[in-house]
């Protein structure tokens, strides 16, 4: 599979299209068809025809290829119920355009995102989109049925990942041939610390190997799954699969050595002399979580008992003069949304999606 090399396309002024015809699309007119695309036009067949590579190994276009969007080409309904469009031309990718049409504009959700979302749709961005829509649902700006349908559409497009973002390529599956050369060299240079399971030294080795792997695999399509966050992380999933398991804590509290290190990766297989270490890692994690749950469960019972006779009436002020001072940052929004802020004049104001930015 070829490396990622983005191409740019422009509208063809010599042709006019008035309805979507998948059979007629080619590289010469694809932008013209994208600009009249509607939610109803988007299907699995369309994704396969546009982005799939078949017998000749080539795609019509790639989801990361870009094109020009002229003034007035993207239309949506604003907060006042009026149809508006983009007042400036802009450049976007085919993938982001289809995402907007299918999941945002098609549901009338563009007004919640200032029109068009022209960002990479990775795990973080996708989570923020869902959070914005959840706020809209709570505040009765969208209906439960609309949001349920949105979730259904999100699930419907998940199998398209096999076309849009292939998780396995020959270069990825064989990358350990090059990674292991550097891994053996770094471990040999730090053999004493590695044998002692020194977490700091081993973490530094892992960082060097991850950096090398990213550079070695740059522009390879298989990295999309990791860079987007949809298929795991570099520091955990990729590291364990293609680099090494790394530091493992001994679950025995009386062990002479608290930490050990395993150089095996899952793709190459676990060596016989490190098998017991990997087995220990399967015991240590669940034990740690269960001990923390023990504490949490105890406090939950205490709190439930203490508040057993307390009733909270909705939309009422309990009259308490107690409050918490905090500096509200964007990453705290979810924790404080729909709480009340004390205004300078002493009155209370509920935090909602409409006023939260006034307090950040």
């Amino acid at each position: 599979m070829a490396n990622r090399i983005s191409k740019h396309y422009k509208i063809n002024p010599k042709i006019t299209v008035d309805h979507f015809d998948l059979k007629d699309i080619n590289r010469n007119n694809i932008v013209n068809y994208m600009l009249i695309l509607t939610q109803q036009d988007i299907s699995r067949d369309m994704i396969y025809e546009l982005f799939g590579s078949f017998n000749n190994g080539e795609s019509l276009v790639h989801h990361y290829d870009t094109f020009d969007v002229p003034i007035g080409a993207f239309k949506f309904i604003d907060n006042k119920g009026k149809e508006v469009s983009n007042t400036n031309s802009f450049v976007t990718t085919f993938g982001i355009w289809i995402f907007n049409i299918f999941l945002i504009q098609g549901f009338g959700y563009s007004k919640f995102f200032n029109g068009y979302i022209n960002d990479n749709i990775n795990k973080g961005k996708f989570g923020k989109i869902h959070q914005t829509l959840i706020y809209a649902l709570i505040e009765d700006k969208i209906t439960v049925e609309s949001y349920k349908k949105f979730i259904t559409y999100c699930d419907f497009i998940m199998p398209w990942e096999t076309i849009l973002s292939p998780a396995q390529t020959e270069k990825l599956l064989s990358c350990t041939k090059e990674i292991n050369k550097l891994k053996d060299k770094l471990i040999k240079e730090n053999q004493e610390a590695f044998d002692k399971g020194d977490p700091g030294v081993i973490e530094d080795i892992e960082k060097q190997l991850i950096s090398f792997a990213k550079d070695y695999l740059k522009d390879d399509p298989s990295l999309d799954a990791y860079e987007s966050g949809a298929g795991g992380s570099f520091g955990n999933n990729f590291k364990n699969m293609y680099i090494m398991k790394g530091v493992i804590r001994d679950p025995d509290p009386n062990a002479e050595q608290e930490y050990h290190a395993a150089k095996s990766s899952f793709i190459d297989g676990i060596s016989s002399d490190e098998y017991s270490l990997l087995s220990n890692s399967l015991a240590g994690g669940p034990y740690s979580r269960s001990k923390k749950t023990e504490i949490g469960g105890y406090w939950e019972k205490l709190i439930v008992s203490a508040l057993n006779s307390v009733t909270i009436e909705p939309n009422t002020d309990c009259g308490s003069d107690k409050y918490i001072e905090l500096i509200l940052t964007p990453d705290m929004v979810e924790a404080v949304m729909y709480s009340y802020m004390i205004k300078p004049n002493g009155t209370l104001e509920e935090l909602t999606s409409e006023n939260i930015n006034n307090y950040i």
Side-chain angles (χ1 to χ4, degrees):
M1 183 173 289
N3 285 346
R4 283 185 57 150
I5 301 176
S6 179
K7 295 182 180 179
H8 185 73
Y9 294 81
K10 295 183 178 181
I11 191 170
N12 188 340
K14 297 180 180 180
I15 66 171
T16 301
V17 295
D18 55 8
H19 69 281
F20 190 81
D21 186 355
L22 182 57
K23 296 179 181 179
D24 188 50
I25 295 179
N26 56 59
R27 290 190 179 97
N28 190 45
N29 63 21
I30 189 168
V31 175
N32 301 64
Y33 274 108
M34 286 295 103
L35 297 178
I36 66 167
L37 190 66
T38 66
Q39 187 185 59
Q40 291 71 34
D41 297 322
I42 299 172
S43 65
R44 180 182 60 183
D45 288 344
M46 191 201 83
I47 297 299
Y48 284 7
E49 290 296 328
L50 263 58
F51 305 123
S53 56
F54 299 100
N55 295 333
N56 60 5
E58 293 185 6
S59 304
L60 181 64
V61 291
H62 299 102
H63 61 88
Y64 48 81
D65 288 339
T66 59
F67 67 94
D68 293 322
V69 179
I71 295 174
F74 182 77
K75 297 177 173 60
F76 66 97
I77 306 300
D78 66 8
N79 288 314
K80 298 179 180 179
K82 180 182 177 181
E83 184 180 78
V84 294
S85 59
N86 56 303
T87 56
N88 296 301
S89 61
F90 62 93
V91 175
T92 191
T93 68
F94 288 99
I96 293 175
W97 179 263
I98 293 173
F99 178 89
N100 274 270
I101 301 297
F102 192 66
L103 290 178
I104 307 300
Q105 183 212 54
F107 285 98
Y109 293 164
S110 298
K111 60 187 176 184
F112 301 122
F113 304 99
N114 298 317
Y116 188 80
I117 301 175
N118 203 17
D119 298 319
N120 287 330
I121 311 299
N122 54 27
K123 180 180 180 180
K125 186 66 179 180
F126 197 53
K128 290 180 180 178
I129 290 171
H130 274 272
Q131 189 63 67
T132 298
L133 295 178
I134 289 172
Y135 292 150
L137 179 63
I138 294 172
E139 297 167 13
D140 294 324
K141 296 176 181 177
I142 63 175
T143 66
V144 172
E145 289 303 316
S146 174
Y147 187 65
K148 284 169 62 177
K149 191 174 182 181
F150 170 79
I151 296 296
T152 300
Y153 273 45
C154 289
D155 292 342
F156 173 69
I157 66 175
M158 288 181 66
W160 299 356
E161 177 268 342
T162 56
I163 293 293
L164 299 174
S165 179
Q168 308 293 341
T169 63
E170 183 177 350
K171 190 169 186 179
L172 176 70
L173 294 174
S174 62
C175 69
T176 56
K177 293 180 180 179
E178 299 300 325
I179 293 175
N180 288 345
K181 295 177 184 178
L182 178 59
K183 179 171 66 175
D184 292 340
K185 176 177 178 295
L186 293 174
I187 291 176
K188 186 176 182 180
E189 292 172 352
N190 300 273
Q191 192 68 58
E192 183 177 355
F194 189 87
D195 293 339
K196 291 181 179 179
D198 188 317
V201 173
I202 297 169
E203 182 181 5
D204 182 64
I205 292 174
E206 290 174 344
K207 287 181 178 179
Q208 292 185 61
L209 292 171
I210 290 173
S211 177
F212 171 81
K214 285 183 178 181
D215 185 65
Y216 176 72
L217 293 168
K218 64 182 178 181
D219 296 328
D220 190 78
S222 63
L223 284 194
D224 281 355
Y226 292 100
E227 291 181 336
S228 69
S233 65
F234 275 105
N236 183 23
N237 306 87
F238 182 89
K239 178 186 75 69
N240 291 339
M241 179 61 71
Y242 297 101
I243 295 178
M244 64 178 175
K245 176 63 178 176
V247 175
I248 298 173
R249 186 175 184 177
D250 197 316
D252 182 357
N254 300 315
E256 294 183 5
Q257 185 171 314
E258 184 176 7
Y259 295 101
H260 301 271
K263 62 180 289 187
S264 299
S265 65
F266 293 147
I267 194 72
D268 289 339
I270 308 303
S271 64
S272 58
D273 58 332
E274 291 183 341
Y275 188 83
S276 61
L277 289 180
L278 270 293
S279 299
N280 279 344
S281 71
L282 297 177
Y287 175 78
S288 176
R289 285 190 293 273
S290 64
K291 290 298 291 182
K292 291 179 180 178
T293 303
E294 176 187 40
I295 298 172
Y298 170 71
W299 277 102
E300 180 186 9
K301 290 180 179 178
L302 284 182
I303 293 171
V304 169
S305 297
L307 301 178
N308 214 8
S309 61
V310 176
T311 300
I312 300 176
E313 295 292 339
N315 302 317
T316 58
D317 179 7
C318 66
S320 172
D321 59 357
K322 303 296 189 293
Y323 60 89
I324 299 173
E325 290 187 354
L326 55 83
I327 297 175
L328 184 55
T329 56
D331 59 334
M332 295 169 54
V333 167
E334 292 182 32
V336 301
M337 187 68 83
Y338 307 116
S339 298
Y340 284 84
M341 302 292 283
I342 302 176
K343 300 173 71 173
N345 62 6
T347 60
L348 303 179
E349 181 175 17
E350 183 183 18
L351 289 176
T352 68
S353 63
E354 294 184 353
N355 64 19
I356 188 71
N357 289 327
N358 298 333
Y359 291 96
I360 293 179

